[in-house]
Amino acid sequence: MSLEKQDLAAPAPSDFIRDIVAGHVAEKKYPQIHTRFPPEPNGYLHIGHAKSICLNFGIAHEFGGVCNLRMDDTNPAKEDIEYVESIQADVNWLIGGWAEKELGLTPAKAPFYASDYFDQIYEFAVALIKKGKAFVCDLTPDQTDEYRRAGKASPFRDRSVEENLDLFTRMKAGEFPDGSRVLRAKIIVDAPNIWLRDPLLYRIKRADHHQTGDKWCIYPMYDFAHCLSDYLEGITHSICTLEFEVHRPLYDWILENLDLPKTLPHQYEFARLSLGYTVMSKRKLMQLVEEKLVTGWDDPRMPTISGIRRRGVTPEALRNFAYNIGITKYNGITDVSVLEHAIREDLNKRSLRRLAVLRPLKIVITNVPAGHVEELDAVNNPEDETAGKRKIPFSRELFIERDDFQEVPPPKFFRLKPGGEVRLKYAYIIKCDEVVKDASGHITELRCTADLDSKTGGATSARKVKGTIHWVSAAHAVDAEVRLYDRLFTVPEPDADGDFRQHLNPHSLEVLTAKLEPSLKDATAATRYQFERLAYFALDKDSGNNLIFNRTITLKDTWAKEAHKAS
Ligand code: ATP
Ligand code: MG
C-alpha cells in the first residue's frame, strides 16, 4: 500500500508560508522553489525538527522544487560526527524513502555542509572589510556585550581597511589567541534592533572540526554563515522558527551589502513546535542523557526522532502529525494527545493482532485432558482483510491476565469471577469453579471448566456471555521482556517553573516478563503488533534471542481518563 505517497501528496496542507510560496510560483519569481533543512549537529533531532523537515521537504514537493539537508556546522566546540550521523539516519527514516520516490532526492546520503563554504564565506568577509563594512575588534567578550547593550561604538570601529585586512588575515593564520579578537560588521551602533549593533561575524577558536579538521582557527558566526550558505545553495525560501525574526534584518543586510550577482534568498518564520508533557531544547535533552535520567538519546521516552522510532512509531504517523498540526505564527503548546492520536490511528490500521499476557495467572481447564492441543483460528487484523488468519494453540493449562480475575468483583465486573463465566477470545466460554491459593493467601491458579459447545465460530457457538478476555497456552507461550513506557513528565509544561527534572514521571518505565502466543517468536522489527486488549507494541532494537517488546502506546488515552476522574 502506498501510504507514503498518500499522506504527503493529498490533500496538500495550506498555511501562510505555502500561500507565500504559491504566490511566488504564480508570478514566476524563481525558476524553481528551493528550501533547506539546516540542523546544527550538536545533538539529536527531536520532534520539533520533524515539523521543520516535513515543512521544508513538503513545500519542495508540492511546488516542484528542491530541498537540501544542510549541516549547519559552524561551531566545532559543540558539534560531533555522532550527531551528523544520527541526523542522517533520522532524516532518512522520516522521509528517505518518500523523498527518493517523490523528489528524486537522497538528502540523507548527500547532505550539504556549511563547512564546505568556509573558503567562500571567508572571502565574503574580506569583501565586507574592503568595503569598509566590517572591522576587527579587540574588545573582550564582556566589553563587547557591555558596549552593544549601551549602544556604544567600539574604540576599534574606525580602523583602516588596510589594518583590518592585515589583522583578519593574521587571525586566520593563527597569530592570535582564542577569543582575543573578532570580526564585526559595521552597521549601526545604537540600532533599536540589537542584532544590528555591529554584530560579530567571525571568532577565533582552536577546535578540531569534524569535517575540516584543523584547517581553520577562525569560524563564522551562525548569522553570517547561514544567509551566505543559503545564497550559495540557491535557496529561495529560508524557513526558520520565530526566534529568528529579529535576525532577519541582519540576514538581509549581509546579503545586500555584498553586491551578489544571483537572486537573494529570503527568510520566513513560523512558530516552533512545543509539545505537552516533554521538553524540547537540545540542551535539556542533552542534560537528560548526560545525567543518565534516560538511557540515551534514543530512549523510547525521549521526544527525539530516534526515541520515537525506537518506541515503534512509524514515519507515516509522525509525518501525519507534522502535517496535521499546521504552520502558524503563534507560539503555543500542542497537546500531546494530538501526537498520540496520530500514532493510534496509524497503528490501528497496520498492526497485527496478537495474544499476550503481561501479568500471568495460571488457569487449568479441568475438562480438557492433559496433552490435548487444539489449533484455533485467530484474525490477524480486523481492519485489513488481506492480513488473513493464523492458528493459536489451546490446551489444558493457560495463562490469563491477573487483572481479568477478581475474587471479590466490583459491580458490573464482566470478566472472570468465582462461579462466573467469560469467553476466551477465539476459543471457549469457561467457568471458574475453584480458586487455589498458597499458604499466604496468594492466588496461584484457577480451576475452570470449558463449555465445549461454545467454540468461537463453531456450529453451536451462539451462546453469549458479557466478557471476553485474552489468554495464551502455558506450554506453548514464549517469554518476552516487555517495556511499558509512559510519558516522561507528569505535567504538560515541565519547564514552565524551576527545574524541569522535578517533574520527571517516576513511572515512565515498567519492565515485565510477559507470556506471548508462540507466533511472536518470529516477530520482525518492521512489523507492528497490537497485543489484544492491552496496547501497541514493537520489537526493541536490542531484541535478539531474548525477545524485547516496547509498548509504543496504550489503546486508549489513560491520561485523559485520569484527568477526567480528578476533575
Ligand atoms: P533547539 O532550540 O531545540 O535546541 P535548534 O533550533 O538549536 O534546536 P537547529 O539544529 O538549529 O536546532 O534547528 C534546525 C532547524 O530546525 C531550524 O531551522 C530550526 O528553526 C528548526 N527547529 C528547531 N526546533 C524546532 C521546533 N521545536 N519546531 C519547529 N522547528 C524547529
Ligand atoms: Mg539553533
Side-chain angles (χ1 to χ4, degrees), residues 37-40 46 48-49 52 240-241 270 272-273 280-282:
F37 169 66
E40 182 179 358
H46 52 58
H49 294 117
S52 181
C240 59
T241 38
F270 69 100
R272 60 173 42 234
L273 170 67
M280 202 82 95
S281 97
K282 277 189 243 177

Side-chain angles (χ1 to χ4, degrees), residues 426-477:
Y426 307 120
Y428 300 93
I429 294 172
I430 57 163
K431 181 173 173 203
C432 175
D433 304 315
E434 191 188 341
V435 181
V436 182
K437 296 182 183 175
D438 63 15
S440 61
H442 184 74
I443 299 173
T444 52
E445 71 177 46
L446 305 177
R447 300 184 73 83
C448 306
T449 41
D451 171 356
L452 296 172
D453 289 331
S454 66
K455 183 169 163 179
T456 301
T460 54
S461 68
R463 195 161 77 84
K464 289 213 160 42
V465 289
K466 281 218 160 135
T468 299
I469 63 173
H470 59 274
W471 56 276
V472 294
S473 165
H476 302 90

Side-chain angles (χ1 to χ4, degrees), residues 331-487:
N331 280 319
I333 297 195
T334 299
D335 197 323
V336 67
S337 65
V338 179
L339 171 64
E340 293 174 346
H341 174 76
I343 297 171
R344 286 194 182 97
E345 200 174 50
D346 172 77
L347 293 178
N348 181 44
K349 275 185 267 175
R350 71 172 73 232
S351 291
L352 293 183
R353 273 55 173 177
R354 291 292 182 261
L355 297 185
V357 172
L358 299 186
R359 296 171 183 86
L361 171 62
K362 191 170 138 189
I363 67 171
V364 179
I365 315 287
T366 50
N367 59 337
V368 170
H372 172 85
V373 182
E374 196 178 338
E375 298 280 325
L376 302 174
D377 283 324
V379 175
N380 283 328
N381 184 356
E383 301 285 320
D384 176 9
E385 258 177 42
T386 64
K389 288 183 178 172
R390 69 189 184 287
K391 296 284 184 193
I392 47 172
F394 176 82
S395 63
R396 178 178 164 90
E397 296 196 353
L398 312 173
F399 291 117
I400 63 166
E401 208 69 60
R402 216 159 244 286
D403 278 0
D404 282 335
F405 174 76
Q406 295 255 352
E407 200 175 11
V408 187
K412 297 202 177 167
F413 184 82
F414 298 124
R415 293 170 276 163
L416 199 56
K417 54 193 168 194
E421 282 189 321
V422 77
R423 177 173 289 284
L424 296 177
K425 184 112 203 219
Y426 307 120
Y428 300 93
I429 294 172
I430 57 163
K431 181 173 173 203
C432 175
D433 304 315
E434 191 188 341
V435 181
V436 182
K437 296 182 183 175
D438 63 15
S440 61
H442 184 74
I443 299 173
T444 52
E445 71 177 46
L446 305 177
R447 300 184 73 83
C448 306
T449 41
D451 171 356
L452 296 172
D453 289 331
S454 66
K455 183 169 163 179
T456 301
T460 54
S461 68
R463 195 161 77 84
K464 289 213 160 42
V465 289
K466 281 218 160 135
T468 299
I469 63 173
H470 59 274
W471 56 276
V472 294
S473 165
H476 302 90
V478 289
D479 282 357
E481 176 178 329
V482 294
R483 299 175 179 173
L484 305 180
Y485 292 106
D486 202 347
R487 294 180 187 172

Side-chain angles (χ1 to χ4, degrees), residues 198-266:
D198 292 2
L200 273 59
L201 302 180
Y202 261 95
R203 62 201 185 289
I204 306 173
K205 178 106 207 154
R206 285 171 180 77
D208 199 48
H209 190 289
H210 48 99
Q211 302 301 319
T212 58
D214 61 1
K215 176 174 174 191
W216 296 90
C217 65
I218 57 171
Y219 289 96
M221 304 299 290
Y222 168 86
D223 280 317
F224 194 52
H226 200 84
C227 55
L228 291 169
S229 304
D230 283 346
Y231 171 76
L232 290 168
E233 289 177 13
I235 303 302
T236 55
H237 297 76
S238 178
I239 302 167
C240 59
T241 38
L242 280 177
E243 68 275 18
F244 290 100
E245 195 164 14
V246 285
H247 297 237
R248 185 170 3 113
L250 176 57
Y251 183 103
D252 291 339
W253 183 91
I254 293 167
L255 295 174
E256 285 162 7
N257 280 277
L258 279 165
D259 301 322
L260 299 169
K262 294 192 299 180
T263 312
L264 301 184
H266 281 281

Side-chain angles (χ1 to χ4, degrees), residues 22 25 87 91 93 112 161 184 210-211 241 259 286 359 390 415 437 443 481 515 517 550:
V25 170
I87 289 169
V91 170
W93 174 78
F112 294 76
V161 168
R184 294 175 64 180
H210 48 99
Q211 302 301 319
T241 38
D259 301 322
M286 176 89 74
R359 296 171 183 86
R390 69 189 184 287
R415 293 170 276 163
K437 296 182 183 175
I443 299 173
E481 176 178 329
K515 300 282 182 187
E517 69 166 77
N550 293 329

